[in-house]
Amino acid sequence: MRGVVYRDVRSVDVCEVPEPTVQEETDAVVQVTSTALCGTDLHMYDGRTGAQPGLVLGHEPLGVVVRVGSAVQTVRPGTRVVVPTHLFCGVCAMCARGLSALCLRARPGGPGAAYGYVGMGPYPGAQAELLRVPWADANCLPVPGEPGDAYEDDFVLLADAFVTGWHAAATLADVHAGDTVAVFGAGTIGLLAAYSAGLLGARTVYSVDHVDARLNKAEELGAVPIDFRQGDPVEQIRADRARDGLPLGEEKLPGVDKVIDAVGFQAHDRAHPDRERADQVLADAARLVDPGGAIAVAGVYPEKDLTPQAGGTSDGHLNAPWGTFFAKGVAVRFGRTHDRRYTRLLRDLVTAGRARPGRIITHHGSLDDAPDFYRRFDQRQDVIKAVLHP
């Protein structure tokens, strides 16, 4: 079969790779109908994580089951399924607590596993024609309809992007009705975090970025776009809140209730926009969040960075304004998405017509389009979210 493989820094290729088989009686093999590119894929594409040539990339698959092991009970050949990024056994101590992204059995070297990701287990990625899914009863979520229907774009985002955006807003930031929210980063996760905050009832959501296409998409989704090329985003948000008029008695709360970092360690240094600064968003979040608020860190901060930039280190250590966080009494929450907490809920919001996350997808193509999509995505050109159809 064909798959998208990492070749070298900023180089991917489409070539023949081994076809997956049912290795355990609990496995399924899924024919992939849609598979998305993710900002996390770019960390490997950019040579920041030590990816080895030949790694099949991708962790956002939607497809149809074509083979199952003898012990699989809840899906069968012909079942349309979305497969969450973080594969898990479903029965270990962490899975039993609902912490599926910290499964203790899926990866011998530590908690948690994922498809097509350096250091997250021996699992080939999903940007391919077929995908082996271990523990299929736990990891395959049935979805209605047929491949290519009106829900194809919405359902593929249940593998990662929509659940991560929802996790950032609902759990990490703990957004409630009436909250004011600022989301740094208007890539896929940032856009869907802003969208999720709106679904959760936030009264105002700000979306901070510097790419016109992303800012336009944020506004289309109902957020207030903040272009940091026009000045300090913290001061821009404070000024916007002041223009609207702060509620009586809240004049000393000019920031926002909740801040979401959807950028991570590859943030732009606002003083030098052509450079990175790993601690930029955390510094801005500390200034912007109101006392008693919360900061959600959904952007990736790796344990190892092969080419650390300003504010970062090769071993993942990072300076953070802990004194400000402590003085303001804010909650700071991190963590990978425990996908299966949310996939059924979000599937049902989609089928009920309450959520259409597929609105953020800008490009479709075949596997052969992957090298071009990766290049344009990495350069932050017009690609916000690209989906391949093997």
Side-chain angles (χ1 to χ4, degrees):
M1 70 167 186
R2 302 170 76 230
V4 179
V5 302
Y6 175 82
R7 285 302 188 199
D8 203 344
V9 177
R10 297 188 176 89
S11 176
V12 299
D13 196 7
V14 181
C15 59
E16 290 294 320
V17 296
E19 184 170 316
T21 61
V22 172
Q23 299 178 21
E24 305 288 343
E25 60 185 9
T26 52
D27 288 354
V29 174
V30 173
Q31 181 179 359
V32 178
T33 59
S34 287
T35 180
L37 274 64
C38 176
T40 303
D41 295 326
L42 293 183
H43 303 321
M44 290 172 283
Y45 180 75
D46 288 338
R48 303 295 286 268
T49 62
Q52 295 300 306
L55 173 68
V56 181
L57 296 168
H59 53 262
E60 299 185 66
L62 170 70
V64 176
V65 175
V66 291
R67 292 189 292 276
V68 297
S70 60
V72 176
Q73 299 181 33
T74 59
V75 297
R76 61 183 182 274
T79 303
R80 190 187 193 192
V81 297
V82 65
V83 181
T85 294
H86 298 101
L87 60 125
F88 62 105
C89 73
V91 297
C92 73
M94 285 299 184
C95 289
R97 299 176 195 175
L99 304 177
S100 58
L102 298 174
C103 177
L104 300 176
R105 297 175 63 203
R107 178 167 63 97
Y115 301 97
Y117 197 98
V118 173
M120 294 296 286
Y123 304 101
Q127 289 169 12
E129 294 175 333
L130 297 166
L131 180 72
R132 172 183 169 241
V133 181
W135 299 294
D137 285 320
N139 288 277
C140 289
L141 176 74
V143 294
E146 301 292 335
D149 65 12
Y151 290 123
E152 185 85 4
D153 282 352
D154 298 311
F155 286 155
V156 71
L157 297 181
L158 296 180
D160 179 13
F162 191 21
V163 291
T164 300
W166 185 272
H167 174 67
T171 299
L172 299 182
D174 194 28
V175 172
H176 292 282
D179 280 345
T180 51
V181 181
V183 182
F184 283 80
T188 299
I189 302 304
L191 288 170
L192 289 173
Y195 183 57
S196 296
L199 291 174
L200 290 161
R203 73 171 183 251
T204 307
V205 181
Y206 297 96
S207 180
V208 181
D209 209 286
H210 71 297
V211 178
D212 291 335
R214 293 179 172 190
L215 292 167
N216 292 338
K217 181 64 71 172
E219 187 170 27
E220 179 186 318
L221 295 175
V224 179
I226 301 292
D227 185 346
F228 67 71
R229 294 172 298 186
Q230 305 303 316
D232 183 345
V234 173
E235 294 305 322
Q236 289 189 62
I237 291 170
R238 286 174 174 166
D240 186 80
R241 293 213 63 217
R243 279 193 297 272
D244 286 345
L246 296 172
L248 187 65
E250 297 183 20
E251 295 85 357
K252 294 184 179 180
L253 299 173
V256 297
D257 300 305
K258 310 292 170 63
V259 178
I260 298 172
D261 171 4
V263 179
F265 78 114
Q266 289 188 276
H268 283 268
D269 185 336
R270 286 191 287 98
H272 305 280
D274 58 331
R275 306 178 192 172
E276 292 180 10
R277 185 166 190 86
D279 58 356
Q280 180 68 75
V281 174
L282 291 177
D284 287 341
R287 294 168 52 220
L288 180 60
V289 68
D290 281 335
I295 296 172
V297 182
V300 171
Y301 289 90
E303 293 183 281
K304 179 175 68 174
D305 184 353
L306 298 185
T307 55
Q309 307 296 306
T313 61
S314 60
D315 60 5
H317 289 186
L318 190 72
N319 288 325
W322 297 115
T324 303
F325 294 155
F326 183 85
K328 287 188 172 183
V330 300
V332 182
R333 302 184 183 93
F334 300 77
R336 299 189 189 100
T337 307
H338 304 295
D339 313 277
R340 287 290 276 165
R341 286 185 177 182
Y342 314 110
T343 47
R344 193 176 303 276
L345 162 70
L346 298 181
R347 176 199 65 186
D348 293 346
L349 283 180
V350 167
T351 57
R354 299 291 300 277
R356 296 307 302 264
R359 294 164 61 190
I360 69 160
I361 293 174
T362 55
H363 290 73
H364 295 84
S366 67
L367 290 180
D368 291 325
D369 293 306
D372 181 55
F373 281 174
Y374 266 95
R375 178 185 59 80
R376 291 159 63 186
F377 190 27
D378 188 50
Q379 294 174 356
R380 309 300 192 272
Q381 293 183 3
D382 55 335
V383 176
I384 294 176
K385 188 67 169 178
V387 175
L388 305 174
H389 303 288

